Amino acid sequence: MNRRFAFTMLAGVLVAASCSSSDSILESGNETPTTAASPTTVAASPGTDDTDAPPSSDATTIAPTTSTTPPPDPGLCPVDALENADGPVEVLFWHGLNGATNDGIEYLAAEYNASQSKVKVRLEPQGSYDSTIDKYVQTSQASRPDLVMFPEYMVQQTVDSDSVIPIQSCIEAAGFDTSAFRQATLKAYATAGVQWAMPFNVSNPVLYFNRRMFEKAGLDPDAPPQSLQELREYSQAIVDSGAASYGIAIDSGTDSGGGWFLEQWFANAGELYADNDNGRTAPATKVLYDGPVGVELLTFLQQMVQDGLAYYVGGNATGQDNFLKLADQTAPAAMTIGTSAAMGTVFDALDGGLIPGITNEDVGIGPLPGPSGTPTALVGGAALYVVADHGDETTAAAWDFITYLVSAQSQSEWAVQTGYVPIRADALSLEPVASTYTDDPRFRVAYDQLIGSPDEPALQGPILGPQREVRVVTALAVADIFEGGDVQTALTDAAARANALIADYNAYN
Amino acid sequence: MAVSEPGEATGVIDDATDKARSGGRPSSSAFSTPRGIRLAGRYALLGLVTFIVLFPVYTTIVASLKPGNRVLQNPLVPNAFTLDIFREAWTEGRLGRFILNSLVVAVVVTVCQVATSVMSGYAFAMLDFPGRGVLFMVFLATLLVPLEATLVVNRRTIDSLGWLNSYQGLAAPFLATAFGTFLLRQVFLGFPDELRDAARIDGAGHTRFLWHVALPVVRPTVGALALFSFLSSWNQYLWPNLITTESDMNTVQSGLRSLRYSTLDKPNLLMAGTVIAAVPIFAALLVFQRQLVRGLTAGAVKG
């Protein structure tokens, strides 16, 4: 019977472990590695974001679309209901932030609660995006939170869950001005002409590298590689010079090398990842990554692994393995790719002396090297959804909190604490982000590559119903490829499985 | 899980030592050298197993005692020492609250499992009612249904009762156990008929007989079942993790997860939290280990 006991517990642990396997610090960010705001730089900021697309006069919140879906009813979001409330209205907010991104949201919520008396926000961190999603999906509408944060790949599933109020209702009911927003961040959470969620924490992948190793290899740490070809050349130089054992550490995690980065690389190449304009004009029916672009991309990466230029760290369930390879005492890599939102965590860990021999200043941040050689980025991170049927007052209260979170001032503070990208241009002229972006350009990299991205369907990223599951099968194929499997076979198989998932999803929704 | 390993390992060692003793006896007089070699081999093997089992425990404890900037340097050498990490893990991980929750749930589960097992085991062994055999088979069959198979349904039920984030939600699915029923039935089956007859002649009904005669006799088995129930409840991870959406109601094993997330850059905090969570159960195992093994094997021979 002891054995049964042990087996049961083991099975439990295994299941639990597999459930949490895609929890990722990649989505986390961290607390203020910020430099002290220097008074001299304060005035310099308003002109610094001239790369922004000017807020067009007819800027709307609605993504361009061919769909004829009627606009959602503003009556769904009674933004004035708060005025009739007696006593403070509680808003329960589930989020998947962790580490010091959790500290960041706690800070903002505390500031908000202290700033007014009508609404009291109660945070319930669920630990990761995955467990937020799982718990939300499994829970009845009444037990769901009033406000929930979902990552960018959850748009279609959330829409189909019929459980949220499209944020467009609130925007229209309140006459909320979104003209200062980066339009791409809004579009990422719009489908078939309806704005479903309010973007809040926007991140994208950047290149982390060891500046000392670059110098040792005779490379300019202020000019990190921008194209995949350069990435290979830099890696070669690093390995040849002995500055490090490997050029780059790569992984096959779903929210990194096995899924998210692929979507980013496809966008960078100007290629669609899924049909129907990445699922933006009509529900996608199939993925397109098994074509020549995908094969070329993954063959290139596979070759880097086989030539000893890249080190494959595996599925990277913790999201830390690729970073730790840079700190490897015996056979380190000089570069890795990770979300900009991990910047705070990485800097914090280094400031705390966790990694012997590497300091905060040794870390360089560069744009994500991509097929085109011109940095671009899809909107990553997460957005806020207002849960339906929780009462007018609660809905209004949730909306009020959202407007606080996406205010220019909040976004400025949030970006500096975490490494996330401000979603609105006017945040850049406000402290603390104004001086941080000037004094520590590493924080700007993610922002710059996002605003540098052209406005075309490929650069809005895919919206798939079962996007999370598609990433899982794709990541398995990538793992197979990095371990030496045949590229075309792996991608074809993965695409077939992904397409079956999509067909199933579309049939049921 | 982690905590049960040292206990099991000790059991293995005990067994093996017994075997070593009895196996060694005949050869001891004549061939002392081969016996010495054999013994040395056995101890080497046991030492190796002990090392493998205890190594993670050792690294965990070492890491939990080192300040943050020393954790990754010489991770096997305890070259720095601080108790601050434990204090920080205790407060930051809210372990006091989680341990209280674990304790409440484990006590409720233990009491209910023992009560239901004793009564159902008694019924299956001592009462003659139609369909008893079939019903018992059905009971046993539930042992074959893994927890994971019923998770979703159970969670929906708890949700529809409005019991998410509550003690009753944490405990409800585990109030009865087919294993406990089976265990006590086997013990009751071996119960001397004379005792039952004597009690009946003295006018005792089932309740009185169970309480005053049967229960005292099977107390070791009940004790083992109680400890076993307590351990499995304390070590639960998946279920509490699934039905708590508010951290106030988390149990300690599941709550450690949130410590992991809140301290990504401080591995030593998580290690300290793990040690703290393991201490109560480790102590319980050390104290009751013999009783646990003896009690669980009690019905084995007879049944």
Side-chain angles (χ1 to χ4, degrees):
Chain A
M1 280 309 159
N2 253 338
R3 186 175 299 165
R4 196 193 102 79
F5 166 63
F7 176 76
T8 311
M9 298 311 290
L10 180 66
V13 168
L14 286 178
V15 168
S18 63
C19 288
S20 65
S21 66
S22 30
D23 299 340
S24 163
I25 71 152
L26 290 181
E27 299 303 339
S28 98
N30 227 298
E31 208 157 22
T32 48
T34 178
T35 45
S38 124
T40 53
T41 58
V42 176
S45 24
T48 54
D49 58 330
D50 50 1
T51 36
D52 275 5
S56 58
S57 55
D58 62 345
T60 65
T61 60
I62 307 165
T65 174
T66 58
S67 165
T68 53
T69 314
D73 176 12
L76 288 174
C77 189
V79 290
D80 296 329
L82 206 48
E83 284 163 20
N84 312 322
D86 1 303
V89 180
E90 189 182 84
V91 173
L92 176 60
F93 177 30
W94 286 7
H95 64 79
L97 302 171
N98 51 53
T101 39
N102 183 27
D103 297 345
I105 191 71
E106 274 175 4
Y107 168 79
L108 285 178
E111 291 278 298
Y112 172 74
N113 284 338
S115 73
Q116 44 76 47
S117 56
K118 294 222 152 214
V119 182
K120 187 173 179 312
V121 171
R122 186 156 63 91
L123 299 176
E124 276 300 339
Q126 302 299 323
S128 67
Y129 290 154
D130 272 356
S131 50
T132 311
I133 296 165
D134 287 341
K135 286 186 180 168
Y136 184 89
V137 170
Q138 282 296 332
T139 301
S140 59
Q141 186 72 358
S143 305
R144 283 172 175 163
D146 309 312
L147 182 64
V148 66
M149 170 188 286
F150 282 139
E152 87 280 348
Y153 51 83
M154 275 298 287
V155 177
Q156 192 63 47
Q157 267 186 44
T158 315
V159 171
D160 293 331
S161 75
D162 263 340
S163 66
V164 301
I165 298 170
I167 205 71
Q168 190 179 331
S169 304
C170 302
I171 292 173
E172 284 174 11
F176 185 72
D177 180 16
T178 58
S179 58
F181 279 52
R182 306 287 338 148
Q183 294 305 307
T185 63
L186 287 165
K187 281 180 191 169
Y189 299 100
T191 177
V194 178
Q195 186 71 39
W196 284 94
M198 183 66 92
F200 165 58
N201 47 331
V202 170
S203 60
N204 53 60
V206 291
L207 184 76
Y208 290 75
F209 60 93
N210 186 322
R211 294 178 64 94
R212 294 259 183 85
M213 289 175 180
F214 267 43
E215 285 161 8
K216 216 170 148 192
L219 300 165
D220 180 2
D222 293 320
Q226 307 233 334
S227 68
L228 288 174
Q229 200 52 51
E230 280 173 10
L231 180 69
R232 191 183 162 96
E233 288 159 19
Y234 275 59
S235 298
Q236 191 73 57
I238 287 161
V239 172
D240 289 349
S241 67
S245 306
Y246 300 96
I248 184 167
I250 56 174
D251 67 57
S252 61
T254 48
D255 292 341
S256 45
W260 193 37
F261 301 168
L262 291 191
E263 293 166 21
Q264 298 277 353
W265 278 318
F266 265 75
N268 184 262
E271 291 285 330
L272 292 175
Y273 189 85
D275 64 351
N276 291 332
D277 280 338
N278 272 343
R280 299 270 167 180
T281 48
T285 62
K286 59 176 184 169
V287 295
L288 304 171
Y289 60 63
D290 53 339
V293 178
V295 173
E296 189 190 339
L297 174 69
L298 281 154
T299 308
F300 179 87
L301 294 170
Q302 185 189 48
Q303 202 57 48
M304 281 189 69
V305 176
Q306 288 176 349
D307 295 343
L309 300 176
Y311 181 84
Y312 170 53
V313 298
N316 199 9
T318 63
Q320 295 168 322
D321 297 354
N322 58 328
F323 287 107
L324 288 173
K325 188 65 186 165
L326 269 63
D328 192 337
Q329 302 286 307
T330 49
M335 302 178 270
T336 192
I337 299 169
T339 172
S340 61
M343 242 190 275
T345 308
V346 169
F347 293 161
D348 259 11
L350 294 176
D351 286 339
L354 185 68
I355 310 294
I358 303 182
T359 68
N360 185 334
E361 288 72 31
D362 293 338
V363 177
I365 303 289
L368 174 71
S372 78
T374 309
T376 62
L378 298 176
V379 173
L384 308 171
Y385 293 82
V386 177
V387 179
D389 307 327
H390 280 208
D392 288 356
E393 290 175 5
T394 310
T395 303
W399 167 250
D400 195 65
F401 181 51
I402 289 177
T403 59
Y404 174 83
L405 289 180
V406 300
S407 69
Q409 184 58 46
S410 301
Q411 283 291 311
S412 167
E413 288 168 19
W414 175 243
V416 169
Q417 288 199 357
T418 58
Y420 279 111
V421 168
I423 59 170
R424 45 196 295 166
D426 51 356
L428 263 70
S429 56
L430 300 176
E431 289 303 343
V433 86
S435 15
T436 301
Y437 272 20
T438 314
D439 299 342
D440 192 348
R442 294 181 296 184
F443 277 85
R444 244 201 109 101
V445 172
Y447 182 79
D448 286 341
Q449 69 181 359
L450 185 66
I451 62 177
S453 305
D455 183 7
E456 56 185 65
L459 277 148
Q460 283 178 29
I463 283 193
L464 307 171
Q467 194 158 350
R468 193 178 165 207
E469 294 80 358
V470 166
R471 275 191 187 174
V472 171
V473 300
T474 311
L476 290 174
V478 173
D480 183 33
I481 289 167
F482 287 167
E483 282 160 4
D486 181 66
V487 177
Q488 182 68 65
T489 314
L491 288 181
T492 307
D493 290 353
R497 294 178 60 192
N499 294 343
L501 285 168
I502 294 169
D504 269 2
Y505 184 93
N506 290 347
Y508 286 114
N509 286 287
Chain B
M1 187 62 212
V3 241
S4 70
E5 279 167 4
E8 281 166 19
T10 323
V12 169
I13 292 167
D14 285 347
D15 285 355
T17 322
D18 289 341
K19 269 184 221 145
R21 253 183 238 128
S22 57
R25 207 172 295 135
S27 58
S28 64
S29 51
F31 311 101
S32 64
T33 323
R35 177 178 171 267
I37 291 174
R38 214 175 300 152
L39 256 188
R42 280 185 183 133
Y43 275 103
L45 186 67
L46 290 174
L48 182 71
V49 171
T50 313
F51 175 77
I52 292 172
V53 170
L54 291 183
F55 186 74
V57 179
Y58 171 74
T59 53
T60 304
I61 291 172
V62 167
S64 67
L65 291 171
K66 285 174 130 187
N69 57 356
R70 306 290 287 276
V71 178
L72 295 187
Q73 301 172 7
N74 303 322
L76 298 183
V77 188
N79 55 1
F81 180 81
T82 171
L83 285 177
D84 292 348
I85 308 302
F86 278 93
R87 214 167 297 132
E88 207 182 331
W90 178 266
T91 48
E92 193 160 326
R94 305 177 64 210
L95 292 179
R97 171 81 207 190
F98 295 161
I99 285 176
L100 172 73
N101 291 344
S102 282
L103 205 62
V104 170
V105 174
V107 166
V108 169
V109 166
T110 305
V111 169
C112 291
Q113 282 197 355
V114 167
T116 53
S117 298
V118 166
M119 289 191 283
S120 59
Y122 179 84
F124 278 125
M126 303 283 205
L127 305 184
D128 199 11
F129 54 92
R132 184 173 76 166
V134 176
L135 202 58
F136 186 64
M137 277 301 152
V138 172
F139 234 79
L140 280 191
T142 63
L143 277 176
L144 301 175
V145 181
L147 171 74
E148 290 75 18
T150 55
L151 270 185
V152 173
V153 179
N154 277 347
R155 192 184 189 282
R156 295 229 162 129
T157 309
I158 296 294
D159 186 358
S160 62
L161 291 168
W163 286 0
L164 293 181
N165 303 307
S166 71
Y167 287 130
Q168 60 267 38
L170 284 165
F174 308 101
L175 297 184
T177 150
F179 164 65
T181 304
F182 173 74
L183 185 71
L184 280 151
R185 172 185 175 266
Q186 297 309 99
V187 178
F188 283 130
L189 278 182
F191 212 76
D193 288 342
E194 292 82 355
L195 272 179
R196 193 168 49 158
D197 295 342
R200 202 175 285 161
I201 290 168
D202 287 345
H206 286 299
T207 319
R208 183 177 288 264
F209 172 69
L210 176 62
W211 189 252
H212 289 287
V213 182
L215 213 49
V217 177
V218 300
R219 213 171 56 190
T221 310
V222 171
L225 175 67
L227 183 64
F228 173 78
S229 302
F230 190 88
L231 292 186
S232 8
S233 174
W234 182 277
N235 280 337
Q236 280 223 16
Y237 173 82
L238 194 53
W239 180 253
N241 192 21
L242 268 182
I243 73 148
T244 50
T245 58
E246 309 196 354
S247 51
D248 270 357
M249 290 308 296
N250 230 330
T251 59
V252 67
Q253 306 293 4
S254 166
L256 278 179
R257 200 173 121 98
S258 64
L259 187 62
R260 180 190 140 204
Y261 285 121
S262 64
T263 58
L264 289 169
D265 51 340
K266 296 175 193 160
N268 48 349
L269 273 195
L270 180 59
M271 293 298 126
T274 312
V275 173
I276 293 173
V279 164
I281 204 86
F282 193 63
L285 264 171
L286 277 187
V287 174
F288 293 111
Q289 185 210 357
R290 282 193 179 277
Q291 192 185 356
L292 179 70
V293 174
R294 203 174 297 153
L296 288 180
T297 51
V301 187
K302 203 93 186 192

